[in-house]
């Protein structure tokens, strides 16, 4: 994806960086790189049950392995996986 100013000209990198820092402050989160935001977005999408191939497309990765290394399986996904295998092995709603 490419982002531009309303007049079609490229966004100045300094302006983009300053806007990112302003958003972080407004959200009340600690300092982070834009790249950290991409990792977080990928991880949150997976935790919401979005298929990894959709996450791959959103992040713009051509290779699924890049997406897999780019995201972090959170405890929500791990707990869900454990609950699913528990139901398969022991039946019932655990």
């Amino acid at each position: 994806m490419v982002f531009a100013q309303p007049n079609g000209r490229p966004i100045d990198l300094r302006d983009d960086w300053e806007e990112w820092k302003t958003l972080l402050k407004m959200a009340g989160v600690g300092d982070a790189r834009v790249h950290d935001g991409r990792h977080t977005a990928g991880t949150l999408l997976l935790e919401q049950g979005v298929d990894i191939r959709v996450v791959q497309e959103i992040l713009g990765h051509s290779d699924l392995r890049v997406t897999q290394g780019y995201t972090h399986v959170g405890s929500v996904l791990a707990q869900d996986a454990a609950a699913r295998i528990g139901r398969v092995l022991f039946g019932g709603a655990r």
Side-chain angles (χ1 to χ4, degrees), residues 20-31:
W20 170 249
K21 295 300 184 177
T22 299
L23 285 171
L24 291 174
K25 287 178 186 171
M26 289 172 59
V29 298
D31 192 34

Side-chain angles (χ1 to χ4, degrees), residues 60-73:
H61 297 148
S62 59
D63 188 330
L64 186 60
R65 290 173 295 189
V66 174
T67 308
Q68 290 168 327
Y70 209 84
T71 55
H72 311 284
V73 176

